[in-house]
């Protein structure tokens, strides 16, 4: 994971310098421990590495990290998770306490790390949470696998700012753009 983050860092610094400059500094070991306590679930090793590198994107200007999704700060992750956790008495499978949102689309939908592997999945898988749709698709086996695909596609393809966000315009097959 550290090697992927280093590659992402280099790519962003070179190709998206304005976005790169707006990334927040990474969390210290103490801040990561507090983040985990506030979440109420353990961080995966991959999330720990990602948030030690950078604590999301500055909220001063909304900028897309992937597709139409922005990268949430640890504070946004914590407050979002606590809010949705408090609304869990909806229908089963709508939300799981083991999910940690880290990317959002600004309309209440999130890409989440599933720390427990629910439903009937593997711990660490990535799940899309749609606030208006009942499906909760697994989009990757892990954050590391997802990031590997993303970084490799950045290095291989042409990504561009579009009206929908930062998207791979050379190939539409990479992940979900929403």
């Amino acid at each position: 994971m550290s090697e992927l983050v280093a590659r992402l860092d280099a790519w962003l610094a070179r190709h998206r310098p304005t976005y790169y400059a707006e990334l927040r500094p990474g969390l210290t070991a103490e801040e990561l421990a507090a983040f985990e306590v506030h979440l109420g679930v353990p961080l995966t090793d991959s999330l720990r590495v990602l948030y030690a590198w950078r604590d999301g994107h500055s909220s001063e200007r909304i900028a897309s990290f992937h597709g139409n999704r922005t990268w949430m700060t640890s504070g946004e992750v914590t407050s979002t998770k606590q809010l949705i956790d408090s609304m869990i008495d909806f229908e089963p499978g709508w939300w799981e306490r083991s999910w940690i949102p880290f990317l959002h689309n600004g309309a209440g939908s999130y890409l989440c790390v599933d720390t427990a592997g629910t439903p009937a999945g593997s711990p660490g898988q990535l799940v899309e949470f749609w606030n208006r749709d009942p499906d909760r698709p697994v989009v990757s086996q892990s954050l590391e696998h997802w990031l590997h695909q993303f970084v490799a596609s950045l290095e291989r393809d042409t990504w561009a700012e579009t009206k929908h966000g930062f998207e791979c315009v050379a190939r539409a097959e990479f992940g979900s753009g929403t």
Side-chain angles (χ1 to χ4, degrees), residues 111-148:
L111 185 60
C112 305
V113 175
D114 178 0
T115 63
T118 54
S122 301
Q125 67 189 4
L126 295 189
V127 175
E128 286 181 321
F129 169 81
W130 300 106
N131 68 336
R132 294 196 171 113
D133 296 323
D135 62 322
R136 302 292 182 255
V138 173
V139 296
S140 184
Q141 63 193 16
S142 68
L143 175 57
E144 187 168 359
H145 181 261
W146 180 87
L147 189 61
H148 172 74

Side-chain angles (χ1 to χ4, degrees), residues 16 19 63-71 103-104 111 146 150 153 159 165-167 174-178:
R16 292 185 76 192
Y19 179 84
S64 173
F65 177 70
H66 177 273
N68 71 341
R69 293 182 174 130
T70 59
W71 183 9
L103 296 180
H104 73 88
L111 185 60
W146 180 87
F150 181 45
S153 69
W159 283 71
F166 182 64
E167 298 185 307
F174 175 73
S176 174
T178 57

Side-chain angles (χ1 to χ4, degrees), residues 64 67-68 160-167 169:
S64 173
N68 71 341
E161 297 286 342
T162 71
K163 66 181 181 175
H164 303 291
F166 182 64
E167 298 185 307
V169 294

Side-chain angles (χ1 to χ4, degrees), residues 25-38 43 47-55 74:
L27 300 177
T28 65
E30 295 79 21
E31 291 168 330
L32 282 166
F35 182 30
E36 192 169 57
V37 167
H38 292 303
L43 291 170
L47 269 176
R48 189 176 303 282
V49 169
L50 189 65
Y51 277 88
W53 168 60
R54 298 294 184 148
D55 183 19
S74 57

Side-chain angles (χ1 to χ4, degrees), residues 70-85:
T70 59
W71 183 9
M72 301 166 68
T73 67
S74 57
E76 292 170 328
V77 170
T78 300
S79 62
T80 298
K81 181 170 173 21
Q82 289 173 347
L83 175 65
I84 300 174
D85 280 356

